[in-house]
Amino acid sequence: MKIVGFDIGGANTDIAVVEFDSEGKIIDIRSDYCYLPMWIKKDELSSTLIELLGSDMDEIVAVGVAMTAELADGYMNKTEGVMDIAGRVKKTFDIPLGFVGLNGMLDYEGVKNNPLDLAAANWMATTPLAAHINPDCVLIDVGSTTTDIIPIKNGKECARGRTDLERLGTGELVYTGTLRTNVATISNKVPLKKEWVRVASELFAVSADVHLVLGNIDPTDYTCETPDGGGMSKEDCLLRLSRVVCGDLDLLSQDDVLEIAQHIYRIQVQKVAEALKEVTDRENLDLVVATGVGMKIIGSEAAKILNLKVVTMDEILSLEDCVVAPAVGTALLMEKFIRKK
């Protein structure tokens, strides 16, 4: 049987269609994702889910959903966001539904009774995958926008924070990611021609620009909108990065801009490492399991700075599936959820 897991984020909606045998073992996984800015295009959610499913639409027997899109500023509050998203999913599918909450999977009635239990709970779907690799570890999931840092002991997550607000305070959430982070929020000064220059606090460039010019990602990985509406070539990214110091490619050489990019990358990894150290020191854990689109270029590098042992989730998933690990985990949780019913 096939079960689909969706991870509906503010900017990206991810899918994992997981095929199980009669004993609940995985036969096959198909994963994909789509850029869908929910703050302006939430009315397209239903059609996007159907489009992502494609030919699997008639074969799936259940739908599991995790979400973080309730934080999108198209909603007045998280309750409104959760109920709107859950309602749109319910109208789209006439088969068993389950929603990932902080205390397990909920059906739609359970969502109505406690909508905030679903808010930004997608990390709950990823922790069992990390625990499968090692029951005592710290999961670090580096997405396009944020980084989750979740301690796991005896196979169970033991995060101190439950909400995004709490996790920002405990080191378990860092609002920096591989693609969509405004460069001006990463570092307030950059090196340029043997001097330090303050950056302009405008949305001139994002972390995707940094990672593309450094060769950390390919143009096909640049799946978010560009700040200037321009292209995604290396030259396009260099131009955007030059604007961070109010320059352009006439005023700055390629080497100048690459020096800026290397510094920004280094600071981004250091910021993740700072939060990772807070969690690993507190929980006395020394093994990191990394996943997400930035698992190798940010998550693993942060662990190495701290001399922590690190493994990446591509030990058990394909690289493509690692990018949408919460969606894969959601499908697995949904299989267990319907099996119990």
Side-chain angles (χ1 to χ4, degrees), residues 91-341:
K91 289 179 180 178
T92 306
F93 301 104
D94 189 23
I95 55 177
L97 299 177
F99 298 85
V100 177
L102 294 172
N103 298 296
M105 296 292 284
L106 297 172
D107 58 18
Y108 185 70
E109 290 302 314
V111 174
K112 290 195 295 184
N113 293 333
N114 192 8
L116 290 181
D117 197 51
L118 273 68
N122 68 335
W123 53 274
M124 293 292 295
T126 320
T127 51
L129 297 173
H132 179 76
I133 295 175
N134 194 294
D136 297 292
C137 66
V138 174
L139 164 68
I140 181 165
D141 184 355
V142 186
S144 63
T145 310
T146 60
T147 298
D148 291 314
I149 302 173
I150 309 300
I152 300 169
K153 290 183 177 179
N154 299 317
K156 305 291 184 182
E157 64 82 17
C158 54
R160 294 283 182 92
R162 310 312 286 174
T163 66
D164 278 357
L165 176 59
E166 292 171 349
R167 294 194 304 124
L168 284 169
T170 61
E172 293 159 351
L173 175 63
V174 185
Y175 234 89
T176 195
T178 312
L179 303 179
R180 299 184 61 247
T181 305
N182 184 344
V183 163
T185 68
I186 298 175
S187 180
N188 61 1
K189 286 185 179 181
V190 294
L192 180 63
K193 302 182 187 298
K194 299 182 180 181
E195 295 183 352
W196 287 94
V197 178
R198 290 174 175 81
V199 304
S201 58
E202 296 282 355
L203 182 55
F204 283 136
V206 291
S207 48
D209 296 310
V210 172
H211 294 299
L212 191 140
V213 301
L214 295 178
N216 294 338
I217 65 171
D218 297 322
T220 54
D221 300 317
Y222 199 136
T223 56
C224 61
E225 293 177 344
T226 59
D228 60 357
M232 299 167 185
S233 69
K234 182 175 181 179
E235 185 171 0
D236 292 324
C237 296
L238 288 167
L239 175 58
R240 284 190 288 271
L241 286 167
S242 73
R243 295 183 182 128
V244 169
V245 290
C246 300
D248 56 41
L249 296 182
D250 291 333
L251 294 173
L252 303 178
S253 69
Q254 177 173 305
D255 286 344
D256 291 334
V257 181
L258 288 175
E259 182 184 18
I260 292 171
Q262 288 163 352
H263 173 77
I264 293 166
Y265 176 33
R266 184 167 58 251
I267 296 301
Q268 185 179 38
V269 172
Q270 287 175 356
K271 286 187 172 185
V272 172
E274 176 188 7
L276 181 59
K277 185 177 190 303
E278 182 179 346
V279 175
T280 54
D281 285 356
R282 185 185 71 219
E283 303 296 340
N284 195 28
L285 293 166
D286 61 5
L287 174 67
V288 173
V289 175
T291 193
V293 65
M295 68 177 178
K296 293 183 183 292
I297 62 174
I298 298 175
S300 296
E301 292 302 312
K304 290 175 185 176
I305 286 177
L306 303 175
N307 295 315
L308 296 169
K309 292 178 287 186
V310 58
V311 295
T312 51
M313 203 171 279
D314 55 350
E315 287 193 1
I316 61 171
L317 300 175
S318 70
L319 285 171
E320 293 79 12
D321 295 339
C322 288
V323 173
V324 298
V328 176
T330 297
L332 301 184
L333 291 177
M334 189 61 193
E335 191 276 336
K336 293 179 180 178
F337 185 59
I338 63 173
R339 188 179 287 271
K340 289 179 181 178
K341 287 198 166 189

Side-chain angles (χ1 to χ4, degrees), residues 71-89:
L71 185 61
D73 53 17
Y75 299 116
M76 290 298 294
N77 53 55
K78 293 181 181 181
T79 296
E80 177 190 337
V82 168
M83 292 310 304
D84 180 68
I85 295 163
R88 292 178 189 274
V89 173

